[in-house]
Amino acid sequence: MQSSNQPWSSLWKTLFGDPLRAFGIVSAILLVLLAIAPAKNHFSEWRHYQKGYLRMVRSRGEAVTLQRHFQPGIQQIWHPDIGVTDRCTSCHVGLKEASLTDVKFQPYRKHPVIPHTTEQYGCVMCHRGQGAATTVEEAHSSTLAWEQPILPARYIESGCGQCHRANLEGTPQLNQGRALLARYGCVQCHSIKLPDAGVMQATQDAPSLSHIADKTTREWIFAWLKDPQSYAASATMPNFKLKDDDIRDISAFLIANSNPVAGDTLPPISQKAADSTAGASLYGESFCASCHAVQNAAGNLVGGNVGPELTRIGNKTKPEWLRAWIHNPRVYDPGTQMPHYRFSDQQVATMEGFLLAKSDSDFLANVHLDPATPEQIAHGKSLVMEYGCSSCHEITGIKKPENFAPELTRIGSKSISQLIFLPGMSHTLPDYIAGKIRQPRAFSPGLKMPQYSFTLTQIDALTTALLAQNDRAQSMPPSLSVPAPQTSHYRPAGKAGQIMSDLACFSCHAINGRGGDMAPDLTWEGSSVQRKWLEDFFRNPGTLRPALIRRMPKFNLSNEEISTLSDYIMTVYQTPEFDRESLPESGYSATQVEEGKQLFYSKYGCQSCHIVDAKSDKGYIGPTLTGVGSRLTAAWVYHWLKNPQALRPGTVEPNRNMSDDEAKSLTAFLMAQKGSGTKEAKK
């Protein structure tokens, strides 16, 4: 044992036996240690990439400029107000060089054009990753100290959602994801709080189940709960994967719990025999397809998505209920978006026959239910409460549950240490969110979250929207966030307001910030149109845009109703910018009209989008102007020509920056067009 330690003792004595020698050895070791830091810095990754960048630019024609722009060393962007420390540009040195658009490899590729600069927000605001890191591994990947790597490129729009609360033109995937969260009722169960202390609201209009027995049968409810998409391909209700016995009991409870509504059923209406052609014509003339979709022979959905799909409506509704609904939908559902058409008895019968014929004989063929027992009804009620059905639907005697599902306000910052991943799944937050949306019950068979039929594109959009819900979005300073426009709750007053509610005008039109975008904004309609034209339009709506299939349906309004609506519109919906009577509707000189005609056809080429002469003009983008002199006020035409966006922001009509004289001459020409726009458009 002693002999084995002798060499080490001899070496120690040789090196440190003498104080002077020991000092020299320690000094040498210290020098080596001190040299490690600069050596490591010299061979660091960021320096390697900077040297590679300089080698690349030397061969380019603009080498001198690029070398002058280059700044060596570690580059850092610091934003303490949003907690961003960003050193990404230490390696990505060519981000701002416009001449490097041909470079296709990283980290020297130029950044695509975006509304912001790297100096404003850095890189990690959108791409995530660890901005303070100076190595590729630490900056891009999950490490022991940093568990959220940079985002895959397909989710990059989530970064925009941290600041922008409303839709953006440049973020279609983020916009779609937010719309899906609202449309498919995700936010009915999962609360998503907004930085302004509000919550994300659902746009889903789930029907009330309090009166369901008036509308449909227990057998249809059973088939629907079994697989909603087998009834309607566009159904937003997910599949809860319920057992047949559970579906039997839920349908029993809903029927037993239903309360009848007075007047929501009608006896058969005596009528002449209505053929399918008459029904199809009435359906088309009423423009039902603007809101409702139907599967065609090829299996493709044709129509709008405002109302429910009608492909198999004959399997669903009871004839007596459908009859009453067509006659006046507001008896059953006062808040429905469907207008009261004021159909005659013959029209009601015709439409009823047409819709009841839309059925599938196989849909209910295998549904056979025995009378429900009290035990089944009680069990059905407990299942309705267990699955949170009242989160979306109004159900008599059952309150909407609170905190039914986990809150998703900060899901985009969820620690992966708190998540359970499926075997083979990448341990990243985006993969977890996408996987949970794709197959929620794969994570645990006891979960209540239902199975949706989202496409891969929709799953990516939803994941993008949820990744935007993170800690940074909630703590963003007000000076850097862009809030969504305030929701308008405008309601017109008086008798006119009641008529507009009955006609569901807001389903298509926007007024004072509230309503749809299917039809023109009516906020300044009183300044825009002439009263006689408005009254004639209410009696028989015609198309103003020959290329559009949609138009306002005929509502069979009485003269009194037309007068009430016209009075209200002409009085209330006035722009404060000008007086509608400030310019005359007629009396312009022939010279001024001719000058306007030359401006219309020669200088500004308005006929490329509009039609004045139906025989020669080919403009089908904008509304026809054949009878514009009988439709619009001269003051509106003049101010529209001066600045269209000032009257209707977002219109495609360009601002030509016309002089006052040009705008007056064009107004004179257009006001001289008194022809029948409807007749010419049909021609």
Side-chain angles (χ1 to χ4, degrees):
M1 188 71 176
Q2 185 175 1
S3 60
S4 63
N5 291 333
Q6 188 172 1
W8 292 106
S9 300
S10 177
L11 179 61
W12 179 268
K13 185 175 181 181
T14 301
L15 295 176
F16 301 102
D18 182 78
L20 186 60
R21 190 184 302 118
F23 177 77
I25 294 299
V26 172
S27 299
I29 294 172
L30 181 60
L31 287 174
V32 171
L33 293 174
L34 291 174
I36 289 175
K40 184 178 180 181
N41 181 63
H42 180 76
F43 294 105
S44 61
E45 283 186 295
W46 62 267
R47 192 181 295 277
H48 164 75
Y49 286 120
Q50 289 187 0
K51 290 179 179 179
Y53 175 78
L54 291 174
R55 286 195 299 270
M56 181 196 73
V57 301
R58 289 192 188 105
S59 61
R60 299 179 66 90
E62 71 280 20
V64 175
T65 301
L66 292 174
Q67 287 175 334
R68 186 171 66 250
H69 291 174
F70 171 74
Q71 294 181 349
I74 293 179
Q75 306 300 310
Q76 178 170 289
I77 300 170
W78 182 43
H79 291 296
D81 51 346
I82 53 177
V84 169
T85 301
D86 200 316
R87 296 173 178 170
C88 302
T89 52
S90 300
C91 295
H92 296 271
V93 289
L95 290 179
K96 297 182 292 183
E97 298 297 343
S99 65
L100 298 182
T101 52
D102 60 320
V103 176
K104 303 301 181 184
F105 52 89
Q106 289 286 26
Y108 309 135
R109 194 165 59 194
K110 178 189 176 294
H111 198 287
V113 176
I114 57 174
H116 308 294
T117 64
T118 54
E119 287 82 1
Q120 286 178 295
Y121 296 103
C123 303
V124 295
M125 275 288 292
C126 295
H127 294 276
R128 298 202 183 184
Q130 181 168 242
T134 56
T135 66
V136 175
E137 179 68 17
E138 289 182 344
H140 291 190
S141 306
S142 293
T143 66
L144 292 176
W146 187 260
E147 63 175 27
Q148 293 191 27
I150 61 173
L151 282 176
R154 66 179 183 273
Y155 302 129
I156 194 64
E157 291 178 16
S158 65
C160 305
Q162 297 173 125
C163 298
H164 295 271
R165 317 300 181 201
N167 287 350
L168 291 172
E169 290 185 6
T171 59
Q173 184 166 279
L174 174 64
N175 300 343
Q176 182 190 16
R178 286 172 166 172
L180 290 171
L181 286 173
R183 177 170 173 74
Y184 280 80
C186 306
V187 295
Q188 300 277 34
C189 293
H190 299 275
S191 174
I192 298 181
K193 296 178 182 177
L194 303 176
D196 60 0
V199 294
M200 185 179 291
Q201 298 292 333
T203 57
Q204 172 201 46
D205 187 19
S208 170
L209 303 181
S210 294
H211 323 294
I212 190 67
D214 289 2
K215 180 177 182 180
T216 191
T217 64
R218 184 183 170 199
E219 286 73 18
W220 181 87
I221 295 174
F222 184 99
W224 167 263
L225 292 174
K226 183 76 174 175
D227 183 7
Q229 281 67 40
S230 68
Y231 170 78
S234 62
T236 59
M237 179 165 165
N239 192 332
F240 281 84
K241 301 293 183 181
L242 298 165
K243 298 176 182 178
D244 284 358
D245 286 351
D246 290 342
I247 299 176
R248 176 201 64 197
D249 295 351
I250 291 175
S251 64
F253 166 71
L254 292 177
I255 292 295
N257 192 56
S258 177
N259 300 315
V261 175
D264 72 342
T265 59
L266 287 179
I269 301 173
S270 60
Q271 86 246 31
K272 302 175 184 176
D275 58 23
S276 58
T277 303
S281 297
L282 181 59
Y283 185 90
E285 291 168 1
S286 302
F287 290 87
C288 304
S290 296
C291 296
H292 298 279
V294 175
Q295 288 185 24
N296 60 18
N300 298 319
L301 281 176
V302 178
N305 61 1
V306 177
E309 182 184 328
L310 300 180
T311 304
R312 298 174 181 85
I313 185 67
N315 291 113
K316 177 180 180 180
T317 58
K318 295 179 177 179
E320 59 272 22
W321 178 89
L322 181 61
R323 209 174 292 130
W325 176 266
I326 297 170
H327 182 263
N328 185 359
R330 277 179 170 68
V331 173
Y332 182 82
D333 182 5
T336 180
Q337 294 187 71
M338 181 167 167
H340 178 192
Y341 276 86
R342 294 158 169 76
F343 285 134
S344 67
D345 288 350
Q346 179 61 43
Q347 288 175 316
V348 169
T350 300
M351 185 68 81
E352 174 199 349
F354 175 74
L355 293 176
L356 287 177
K358 294 184 176 297
S359 61
D360 182 350
S361 59
D362 295 331
F363 183 67
L364 298 175
N366 297 320
V367 181
H368 305 286
L369 299 174
D370 295 326
T373 66
E375 292 77 18
Q376 291 172 349
I377 294 172
H379 183 233
K381 180 177 181 179
S382 66
L383 289 171
V384 165
M385 297 175 67
E386 179 182 349
Y387 283 93
C389 302
S390 58
S391 294
C392 296
H393 299 277
E394 178 185 338
I395 304 175
T396 302
I398 299 181
K399 294 181 179 180
K400 181 176 180 178
E402 296 182 4
N403 304 319
F404 180 75
E407 184 181 321
L408 299 180
T409 302
R410 298 176 183 265
I411 183 64
S413 295
K414 188 83 170 179
S415 171
I416 60 175
S417 63
Q418 300 175 344
L419 305 176
I420 299 176
F421 293 89
L422 297 178
M425 176 183 287
S426 297
H427 284 214
T428 68
L429 183 60
D431 284 288
Y432 171 82
I433 294 175
K436 195 67 181 291
I437 297 171
R438 186 182 300 109
Q439 280 187 303
R441 296 193 185 176
F443 290 80
S444 174
L447 294 176
K448 297 295 185 293
M449 182 170 171
Q451 181 66 52
Y452 285 87
S453 55
F454 292 127
T455 64
L456 293 178
T457 300
Q458 289 175 319
I459 291 173
D460 281 348
L462 283 163
T463 304
T464 299
L466 290 174
L467 287 169
Q469 296 298 135
N470 55 37
D471 292 339
R472 185 170 284 146
Q474 296 299 312
S475 60
M476 190 66 62
S479 59
L480 298 179
S481 63
V482 183
Q486 291 293 320
T487 302
S488 172
H489 300 287
Y490 166 74
R491 290 184 179 276
K495 180 64 175 177
Q498 296 175 10
I499 297 173
M500 293 171 71
S501 175
D502 201 39
L503 298 178
C505 299
F506 289 100
S507 295
C508 299
H509 297 277
I511 306 175
N512 292 329
R514 177 197 166 199
D517 58 1
M518 193 186 302
D521 190 308
L522 301 182
T523 304
W524 310 131
E525 188 73 358
S527 296
S528 170
V529 299
Q530 299 178 32
R531 183 187 178 97
K532 183 181 184 307
W533 177 89
L534 182 62
E535 291 179 342
D536 291 343
F537 185 80
F538 278 134
R539 290 188 180 92
N540 188 22
T543 180
L544 301 176
R545 296 175 182 266
L548 292 185
I549 298 175
R550 288 174 175 169
R551 70 167 173 82
M552 181 168 154
K554 186 176 181 179
F555 289 121
N556 302 309
L557 296 168
S558 67
N559 289 334
E560 181 183 356
E561 289 175 322
I562 290 174
S563 179
T564 299
L565 284 173
S566 299
D567 286 344
Y568 192 85
I569 289 172
M570 300 302 292
T571 303
V572 177
Y573 298 147
Q574 292 276 343
T575 175
E577 299 300 320
F578 59 86
D579 183 352
R580 72 177 178 210
E581 298 179 356
S582 57
L583 289 175
E585 312 298 350
S586 59
Y588 295 96
S589 68
T591 301
Q592 199 170 19
V593 171
E594 182 61 28
E595 289 175 353
K597 182 178 181 179
Q598 295 303 316
L599 291 169
F600 185 92
Y601 283 105
S602 298
K603 182 173 182 178
Y604 293 114
C606 305
Q607 74 277 14
S608 61
C609 293
H610 298 279
I611 293 175
V612 165
D613 186 343
K615 296 180 181 179
S616 59
D617 297 346
K618 305 298 181 184
Y620 292 99
I621 297 175
T624 181
L625 301 179
T626 304
V628 67
S630 300
R631 176 166 63 93
L632 298 180
T633 64
W636 177 271
V637 172
Y638 172 80
H639 286 89
W640 178 269
L641 293 170
K642 289 291 291 180
N643 188 356
Q645 284 73 28
L647 296 179
R648 288 205 178 133
T651 179
V652 297
E653 177 83 14
N655 187 344
R656 305 286 191 174
N657 295 311
M658 295 182 188
S659 67
D660 291 350
D661 289 341
E662 286 181 331
K664 288 178 180 177
S665 296
L666 259 174
T667 299
F669 170 68
L670 292 174
M671 295 309 295
Q673 311 308 313
K674 305 288 188 181
S676 172
T678 302
K679 182 186 295 186
E680 295 300 333
K682 288 181 178 179
K683 185 188 299 183

